[in-house]
Amino acid sequence: MDGLGDILSRKDFGLPPEVCAIKDYVRRYYDTDVSVTMQQHAIVVAAHSAALIGTLRLNLPKLQAAANTDKRIILRIGK
């Protein structure tokens, strides 16, 4: 029987590619960081700036293409 340490050592704790793509997109074009949370049917992007969220909302198709996902992207103000 495997111990907890053995099981956890085989687990991949890396970020999903969608999360990395969204964070890279925002960092490249807006020079700021956002919080990205993966859910089963959605991706939640949160930022402190309402202006940034408004701009991302206008560029949502580009953000979706950068993330290469069909999941719904939800934008929120606040982290």
Side-chain angles (χ1 to χ4, degrees):
M1 181 178 221
D2 289 335
L4 184 59
D6 295 331
I7 294 170
L8 291 177
S9 69
R10 287 179 266 155
K11 177 79 172 144
D12 180 22
F13 289 105
L15 292 175
E18 296 93 342
V19 172
C20 294
I22 291 171
K23 287 185 173 195
D24 289 343
Y25 179 87
V26 173
R27 197 173 298 121
R28 182 180 326 118
Y29 291 106
Y30 303 105
D31 195 31
T32 189
D33 291 324
V34 292
S35 172
V36 181
T37 306
M38 293 285 294
Q39 296 178 348
Q40 187 173 0
H41 299 289
I43 300 172
V44 180
V45 179
H48 285 300
S49 171
L52 175 61
I53 292 297
T55 304
L56 288 175
R57 191 171 309 281
L58 293 174
N59 294 314
L60 204 53
K62 291 180 185 177
L63 188 62
Q64 189 121 18
N68 194 23
T69 184
D70 292 331
K71 290 185 177 184
R72 182 177 175 210
I73 296 179
I74 300 170
L75 301 173
R76 294 205 172 138
I77 301 168
K79 286 193 176 186

